[in-house]
Amino acid sequence: MSGDCRSARGGGDLQRSQPLRFEFDGRSYQGLQGDTLASALLANGVHLIGRSFKYHRPRGIMAAGPEDPNALVTIRRDAARSTPNLNATQVELYDGLVAYSQNRWPSLRFDTARINDLLSRFIPSGFYYKTFMWPRKAWHSLYEPRIRAAAGLGVASTEADPDLYAQCYGHCELLIVGAGPAGIAAALTAAASGARVMLCDEQALPGGSLRTGTSARIGGQDAADWLRESVQKLTAAPNVTLLTRTTAFGYLPHNMVALSERLSDHLATPPPGKPRERLWQVCARQVILATGAIERPLVFPGNDRPGVMLAGAARSFLNRYGVLPGARVVVLTAHDDAYQTAIDLKAAGVQIAALADMRTDPAGPHVEAARSAGIAVRTGTTAVGTRGNLRVTAVGLAGLDSNGAVAGAADWVKCDALLMSGGYTPSVHLHSQARGKLRWDEATHAFVPGAAAAGCRSVGACNGLIGAELVRVFEQATAAAADALRECGIHDQPGAIAISKELAVSEDRGASGGWIGALPQPAGAKAGKAFVDWQNDVTAADLKLAVREGFRSIEHIKRYTTTGMATDQGKTSNLNALAIAAQQLGRAIPEVGLTTFRLPYLPVGFGGLAGYARGDFFAPVRKTPMYDWAADRGAVFEPVAMWQRARYFPERGEDMHQAVARECAAVRRSCGLFDASTLGKIEVAGPDAIEFMNRMYVNNWSSLAVGRCRYGILLRDDGFVYDDGVVARLSDDRLHVTTTTGGAPRVLGMMEDYLQTEWPHLKVWLTSTTEQWAVIAVQGPQARAVLEPLVEQADLSAAALPHMAMTRGLVCGVPAMIFRVSFTGELGYEINVPADYGAEVWRAIWASGQAHGMCTYGTEAMHVLRAEKGYIIVGQDTDGTMTPDDAGVSWAVGKNKPEFVGMVSLRKPALQDPRRKQLVGLLTVDPAHVLEEGSQIAAEPGQRPPMRLIGHVTSSYYSSVLGRSIALAVVSAGRSRLGQTLYVPTAHGESTVTVTQPVFYDPKGERLNA
Amino acid sequence: MLIIPCPYCGPRPELEFSYGGQAHVTRPTAASNPSPAEWNAFQYERANLKGLHAERWRHIHGCARFFNVVRDTTTDEILRSYRSGEK
Ligand SMILES: [Zn+2]
């Protein structure tokens, strides 16, 4: 059948007066406002929607909801807005929608990879594991690219996502997930209490199973009218937030539920600036899950042809979208619910060619109603196969004997749609994500919620009320809402719903039955493929094979066969797969157990998860007060611990190498200006400040005079260097501690930890002052001459302010701390002024320096200058396994100290082993060769792998001042190897090096003390 | 997301806190000259248990205090929180 399959009946979700145009695979169709892409395609008689993942078999729409495993499509608005792997049942139609099928080449109707289906006996489960093992090299060049090309899901746009994604928090007493009859009854109960209530549903319209079609009347009116009035009440209530198009996809600890709200995907032209999605992180005191149940397909040969559909889905398509699944249908069921589908379709004019029930003696109101509607019921009947290519044309029905075995030949019944039902599986996903337990219920053949997480309740079908009378659902839902409110301390619930009146249900028919696992097949027959997992193309035979090959755990069987591992996460397949595996293992279903439910319940886009954290908002950018000045000068910046630091200042087309050479030369010759503001700074104050620092750092601070500085080293308690920096004593009870740029927050955190939890009796206060001070380093022989004209109330002479001293004074009239310190080996000062004055003082010093040939330099030159002097950088020359002795700074460790962090570890023999790697200098025999940082070092030349390696290069630069390359390295027993020749393997061979002291420039420190 | 009761500020979202590992691990002083086994236990041995776990948290984006929490590692339920130094 093709063309118009729209019925005048049903269509409760439609606005029939609003036609919409849309495109599928380049062909134009008409749909109606309220359609999903799936219903609109079916209304046009299009059943072939996609090709299956592995065998490329033609596939149609099986379900009406997000559980559908087949109908994945790509929706394209423009080049950047092309979203793959959307489920056609979830895509709301809008005018001009453009959709494409996936996983087919060259076209959907003719797909060359269909040959996989004909070769399928050569690609059983575990095929990839068995076939593509050897040769190893072929994985990268041959197997993997081909598997990836053949394994088809859609293709995402490679352009940047132009849409906006919002994120927000929600806070409420009660979150209800699912706005079907159970969720709405719970919400009505809670709304009356005045508590903050959130109710969400993944569909565009609330109502859940009530929209699918029910015979029941509620509160004396049609279910549809009751639904409309209830939704109006909830919408009007100021304390209720009703979110539609909102999927609860993750249940996290402490009742935080993640919701994904789709805001504009259903609009033909989303208004500019409107977010596409909103990610809600709802912190709920109590949660009620009313997530319903998912119909189970039946597992029999040929059950995947287009036109084979779940019976409840067919009823949804009729009653919600006015779509007829076919003109002549066969219904195959093991559950009463499918009878209602047959009755509704017959009333819409569809011919029911057969209603086959696997049960030998079905009875009850549904069966009565079907018979009185004139539908012939074949009891004790199963299906043994189907016929058809791109659409089902016939189904083979066969009788079952009293043992449940197939008896007699198949009766091939012509049909253009086959509607099946194995009953319903409760949607326990969120209950399980919350770490609730599951219990096997023998009566309904279902896993139902057992002990739940605190503050989490399941009601209705997801709690095992499958096919139950609506009144029982209402009782459970209203009671759960009342309980949840009481747990929030809301005992006064005047507006409680009277089940007897407002929710009184009549003409309701409870439904029962169900089947799990594969349907019986004739003995010895060469059966076709009976699919269990449509999306990953897993058949009953695959699962049996996995068990025969020795897999026992359901988790292993899942991974080996890939059942339940597609994007639908086995919503329609898991229980059938479990039953087939259990039967093959000869064990009961609850003994075999379920696989783990993991978030997300449905796929969510990365855009929604990223939210605002993109581009400029991905991470904070920290800029120093001198940033703009440097940017104006054309500085090249590099990110260092979120700071933007000037790396070098190129002039007249210089590359980095040339700029760094010029900057280094200027510092050594006259004077350089450097922005050191990013240096971490912590003020340690209080009567016990010195005692605290004695305990934290390796140094002895008691002997540090006021106005003097000292190089400090901080270890962790494992004895390894954690941070370093210059510490100045500002007064008796106040220290100015500097840290590495990246280390400031973690050093402060570590100090707070020891202060608060180990030595809480010490009277010390710690304050981060990193951003209070702009730090301007003036380094070089002319530094004093540059600064002196700008300084008042301070004496910069060598006698008054020697190396490692500090003083206060005015610089350009601004109160400043002046440190005489050097990270270059030259006469140097670090001027600290309040950050707001940083740029002004910087400009003044720059101006004063012009007469002296001053130059600004960046972090790259700073690295070279300090390496020439052998000053280490923690994190570059140390790697978290270096002791002070390894790093060549054991002189800093205070003698006769009773305690410091790491002191006990330093006593370990392993940390005193003379063979440990120690910091040394390396000079290449070829002075032009600059070693690669990270290169390994060997004692013997010309080794072949595996080589014996004794160390590695930590810093390596070309020193233009020295006219050659220099390197720092850590080498086993390095200090005993001075003068030795070692070998550094390179990409092109080997570089021969000589071990030296790590100080290459002015080893006596005469320039420093000038 | 955990809602963590800071003993100084009250219940706050987990985002405001940083985790500080197992609580009540005694750090031997250097003066006590701990044996290698004692020091090793302090440095590296942790309970990693299933069930009730006393652990340290720091309200880093709040009052900045360290404190202790008893949490059930199987359910994430927080049974109590108390100040450092208290039991
Ligand atoms: Zn706090």
Side-chain angles (χ1 to χ4, degrees):
Chain A
M1 188 172 74
S2 64
D4 190 11
C5 301
R6 195 76 78 170
S7 167
R9 288 180 69 93
D13 286 19
L14 295 179
Q15 291 169 40
R16 291 181 187 260
S17 61
Q18 283 189 50
L20 306 172
R21 300 300 306 178
F22 70 101
E23 241 182 58
F24 179 64
D25 278 350
R27 273 193 66 179
S28 183
Y29 299 93
Q30 191 175 353
L32 294 171
Q33 183 69 39
D35 261 326
T36 62
L37 177 60
S39 69
L41 286 168
L42 291 173
N44 285 278
V46 178
H47 279 248
L48 174 62
I49 310 290
R51 289 273 172 175
S52 70
F53 187 69
K54 182 171 164 189
Y55 301 128
H56 288 247
R57 286 167 68 103
R59 289 285 167 78
I61 292 161
M62 185 172 92
E67 69 273 22
D68 183 87
N70 288 337
L72 295 185
V73 295
T74 297
I75 302 295
R76 186 187 159 95
R77 284 187 192 267
D78 55 43
R81 294 178 174 87
S82 180
T83 311
N85 309 333
L86 295 173
N87 202 307
T89 61
Q90 288 288 87
V91 174
E92 293 177 51
L93 205 66
Y94 55 79
D95 201 44
L97 179 139
V98 177
Y100 294 93
S101 62
Q102 300 181 168
N103 201 27
R104 79 290 191 267
W105 191 85
S107 75
L108 184 55
R109 293 183 72 83
F110 178 80
D111 179 350
T112 53
R114 181 67 205 279
I115 193 126
N116 283 4
D117 194 19
L118 305 175
L119 298 175
S120 61
R121 71 191 186 88
F122 303 110
I123 41 177
S125 54
F127 171 68
Y128 295 136
Y129 302 123
K130 289 165 181 163
T131 310
F132 297 116
M133 289 178 61
W134 210 257
R136 203 185 176 90
K137 270 187 180 167
W139 255 112
H140 295 297
S141 57
L142 188 60
Y143 301 148
E144 198 177 331
R146 288 208 182 169
I147 292 170
R148 292 212 181 279
L153 287 174
V155 179
S157 169
T158 53
E159 292 186 23
D161 188 336
D163 287 319
L164 177 67
Y165 297 85
Q167 293 188 337
C168 70
Y169 287 93
H171 298 273
C172 60
E173 275 71 47
L174 182 60
L175 169 69
I176 301 165
V177 180
I184 287 176
L188 289 169
T189 305
S193 75
R196 291 173 300 173
V197 178
M198 293 182 74
L199 172 63
C200 70
D201 195 282
E202 49 102 9
Q203 297 279 307
L205 298 168
S209 63
L210 295 180
R211 306 200 74 84
T212 304
T214 173
S215 60
R217 294 172 62 79
I218 305 169
Q221 51 187 343
D222 277 353
D225 295 330
W226 176 83
L227 174 61
R228 193 178 319 110
E229 280 185 17
S230 301
V231 170
Q232 277 167 4
K233 256 187 238 173
L234 292 172
T235 310
N239 56 324
V240 177
T241 307
L242 173 59
L243 300 170
T244 54
R245 299 188 176 95
T246 303
T247 306
F249 66 88
Y251 199 129
L252 296 125
H254 290 195
N255 293 328
M256 193 184 94
V257 182
L259 316 179
S260 171
E261 183 183 12
R262 298 176 298 283
L263 297 167
S264 62
D265 272 359
H266 62 289
L267 301 174
T269 315
K274 183 179 176 72
R276 185 178 178 198
E277 291 173 18
R278 180 182 291 124
L279 177 77
W280 286 84
Q281 298 178 72
V282 178
C283 301
R285 293 276 299 280
Q286 300 282 316
V287 176
I288 288 180
L289 301 176
T291 48
I294 290 172
E295 197 167 20
R296 266 194 314 283
L298 293 169
V299 179
F300 58 94
N303 61 350
D304 67 325
R305 292 189 202 287
V308 180
M309 190 183 285
L310 289 166
R315 188 153 96 252
S316 267
F317 282 121
L318 172 64
N319 290 325
R320 297 182 61 179
Y321 310 107
V323 169
L324 302 175
R328 181 185 156 87
V329 309
V330 170
V331 178
L332 175 65
T333 188
H335 191 272
D336 294 342
D337 187 69
Y339 283 73
Q340 188 66 48
T341 299
I343 292 165
D344 287 2
L345 285 174
K346 186 157 197 302
V350 174
Q351 187 187 350
I352 309 298
L355 196 175
D357 195 323
M358 294 182 63
R359 298 169 295 181
T360 48
D361 194 18
H366 285 278
V367 184
E368 303 297 319
R371 288 200 166 115
S372 48
I375 295 168
V377 178
R378 298 192 194 192
T379 59
T381 301
T382 188
V384 296
T386 64
R387 289 176 182 156
N389 182 19
L390 301 180
R391 177 86 180 261
V392 67
T393 56
V395 56
L397 298 177
L400 294 166
D401 64 19
S402 54
N403 297 321
V406 173
D411 174 17
W412 286 90
V413 180
K414 284 188 175 162
C415 62
D416 57 4
L418 171 58
L419 312 179
M420 58 182 169
S421 178
Y424 285 81
T425 305
S427 291
V428 295
H429 307 72
L430 293 176
H431 165 86
S432 295
Q433 283 183 22
R435 295 190 240 180
K437 301 279 184 283
L438 293 174
R439 173 175 69 75
W440 175 253
D441 183 50
E442 198 57 48
T444 54
H445 290 276
F447 283 102
V448 298
C456 175
R457 291 171 176 77
S458 294
V459 298
C462 73
N463 194 32
L465 290 183
I466 301 294
E469 288 91 350
L470 216 40
V471 68
R472 289 189 52 206
V473 171
F474 286 154
E475 282 165 3
Q476 198 174 73
T478 52
D483 284 350
L485 293 175
R486 272 191 291 276
E487 270 198 52
C488 297
I490 303 171
H491 298 278
D492 187 22
Q493 301 175 17
I497 304 280
I499 296 274
S500 56
K501 213 161 80 210
E502 287 148 86
L503 295 180
V505 179
S506 59
E507 293 172 51
D508 190 13
R509 307 184 193 118
S512 64
W515 181 274
I516 306 177
L519 303 196
Q521 294 305 316
K526 194 167 148 269
K529 288 190 188 64
F531 283 92
V532 177
D533 179 335
W534 273 245
Q535 208 180 41
N536 263 354
D537 269 351
V538 181
T539 66
D542 291 328
L543 290 159
K544 289 175 185 167
L545 177 67
V547 174
R548 281 205 305 279
E549 292 188 349
F551 290 94
R552 292 293 174 268
S553 155
I554 190 65
E555 294 282 2
H556 293 158
I557 292 168
K558 168 181 164 175
R559 282 157 182 76
Y560 189 60
T561 62
T562 74
T563 191
M565 291 174 67
T567 62
D568 68 346
Q569 291 191 77
K571 290 186 176 60
T572 54
S573 62
N574 280 345
L575 212 58
N576 280 331
L578 174 58
I580 291 166
Q583 191 192 24
Q584 192 74 7
L585 288 164
R587 291 160 67 190
I589 288 174
E591 280 176 53
V592 178
L594 267 177
T595 54
T596 311
F597 290 94
R598 293 194 173 86
L599 61 81
Y601 170 70
L602 288 179
V604 285
F606 285 113
L609 297 176
Y612 303 109
R614 304 194 309 180
D616 288 347
F617 297 113
F618 182 70
V621 175
R622 305 176 78 183
K623 294 176 179 175
T624 72
M626 289 77 96
Y627 175 89
D628 288 342
W629 187 93
D632 289 346
R633 303 277 304 183
V636 175
F637 291 89
E638 66 169 339
V640 182
M642 291 185 177
W643 289 100
Q644 285 294 311
R645 298 196 74 179
R647 192 173 181 198
Y648 57 98
F649 294 81
E651 285 181 4
R652 293 178 297 277
E654 285 175 335
D655 62 13
M656 184 175 85
H657 179 77
Q658 293 162 331
V660 169
R662 177 180 46 75
E663 291 170 14
C664 289
V667 172
R668 297 278 182 234
R669 187 184 62 244
S670 61
C671 187
L673 187 60
F674 178 71
D675 180 1
S677 302
T678 64
L679 209 64
K681 303 166 208 72
I682 299 166
E683 195 161 284
V684 178
D688 294 322
I690 293 292
E691 172 64 19
F692 174 74
M693 283 297 288
N694 278 340
R695 294 178 187 219
M696 285 304 302
Y697 278 63
V698 302
N699 314 68
N700 178 8
W701 302 104
S702 305
S703 60
L704 182 66
V706 172
R708 286 292 184 270
C709 307
R710 184 169 287 169
Y711 172 68
I713 295 173
L714 176 67
L715 310 183
R716 294 182 307 196
D717 249 332
D718 59 12
F720 298 129
V721 174
Y722 191 57
D723 205 86
D724 68 350
V726 169
V727 178
R729 188 161 187 176
L730 305 181
S731 64
D732 277 346
D733 61 356
R734 194 169 296 255
L735 291 150
H736 178 85
V737 178
T738 64
T739 73
T740 57
T741 291
R746 60 172 182 257
V747 170
L748 181 62
M750 181 174 163
M751 286 183 174
E752 283 285 356
D753 192 352
Y754 280 81
L755 178 59
Q756 290 184 34
T757 68
E758 291 297 334
W759 314 309
H761 56 282
L762 293 184
K763 289 186 164 53
V764 177
W765 289 267
L766 305 171
T767 308
S768 167
T769 54
T770 301
E771 295 185 359
Q772 311 308 308
W773 299 103
V775 181
I776 303 163
V778 185
Q779 301 276 315
Q782 298 300 313
R784 189 180 287 123
V786 170
L787 283 174
E788 263 177 338
L790 306 175
V791 172
E792 301 164 75
Q793 299 172 19
D795 182 354
L796 298 189
S797 69
L801 194 66
H803 180 54
M804 296 301 262
M806 68 82 60
T807 184
R808 292 175 188 275
L810 298 177
V811 179
C812 309
V814 176
M817 295 196 295
I818 303 166
F819 297 87
R820 181 160 172 203
V821 290
S822 172
F823 201 43
T824 59
E826 301 294 337
L827 165 67
Y829 300 89
E830 289 184 359
I831 309 297
N832 284 233
V833 292
D836 288 350
Y837 294 97
E840 281 306 309
V841 174
W842 173 277
R843 274 192 211 99
I845 296 173
W846 174 247
S848 168
Q850 292 314 295
H852 302 275
M854 180 188 254
C855 156
T856 53
Y857 65 102
T859 52
E860 200 63 32
M862 177 268 281
H863 278 119
V864 177
L865 293 165
R866 65 88 204 177
E868 288 169 350
K869 287 291 294 180
Y871 297 146
I872 60 166
I873 290 184
V874 170
Q876 174 162 347
D877 301 296
T878 69
D879 61 1
T881 66
M882 304 244 329
T883 65
D885 188 58
D886 298 341
V889 289
S890 57
W891 52 264
V893 181
K895 309 293 179 292
N896 305 318
K897 286 181 63 172
E899 170 75 270
F900 61 83
V901 174
M903 183 178 181
V904 175
S905 285
L906 290 183
R907 295 172 184 161
K908 289 182 186 177
L911 268 57
Q912 298 175 2
D913 190 325
R915 292 164 301 176
R916 291 182 63 80
K917 289 182 184 175
Q918 298 165 341
L919 186 83
V920 293
L922 295 182
L923 290 175
T924 50
V925 169
D926 171 6
H929 180 67
V930 181
L931 296 167
E932 195 84 32
E933 286 178 357
S935 295
Q936 297 292 313
I937 299 167
E940 301 88 26
Q943 293 184 71
R944 297 184 60 78
M947 304 170 79
R948 206 175 70 82
L949 301 166
I950 58 169
H952 62 271
V953 177
T954 59
S955 294
S956 178
Y957 309 95
Y958 187 81
S959 164
S960 54
V961 171
L962 298 169
R964 59 154 304 130
S965 69
I966 56 167
L968 298 175
V970 290
V971 176
S972 175
R975 286 195 292 272
S976 70
R977 294 177 187 268
L978 297 182
Q980 275 186 19
T981 300
L982 300 178
Y983 306 90
V984 178
T986 68
H988 310 291
E990 204 165 58
S991 181
T992 307
V993 299
T994 307
V995 182
T996 69
Q997 293 282 3
V999 186
F1000 303 98
Y1001 186 78
D1002 185 28
K1004 288 183 184 156
E1006 286 158 352
R1007 302 176 68 87
L1008 189 67
N1009 292 305
Chain B
M1 183 166 60
L2 306 181
I3 304 294
I4 298 172
C6 172
Y8 304 93
C9 309
R12 293 287 189 278
E14 186 185 339
L15 286 174
E16 295 182 11
F17 296 85
S18 61
Y19 185 64
Q22 185 180 328
H24 308 305
V25 178
T26 305
R27 178 176 182 270
T29 61
S32 73
N33 208 15
S35 69
E38 270 178 85
W39 187 251
N40 214 50
F42 157 69
Q43 276 273 280
Y44 302 113
E45 290 170 18
R46 296 296 181 267
N48 191 29
L49 50 75
K50 183 177 180 180
L52 295 189
H53 186 238
E55 59 198 20
R56 296 160 11 113
W57 286 84
R58 185 179 181 210
H59 195 186
I60 185 150
H61 299 298
C63 64
R65 302 273 210 136
F66 284 85
F67 59 94
N68 299 319
V69 153
V70 177
R71 180 176 62 99
D72 187 330
T73 58
T74 61
T75 63
D76 275 327
E77 186 189 355
I78 291 176
L79 287 93
R80 56 187 286 252
S81 70
Y82 50 99
R83 299 176 180 204
S84 293
E86 295 175 353
K87 289 279 178 193

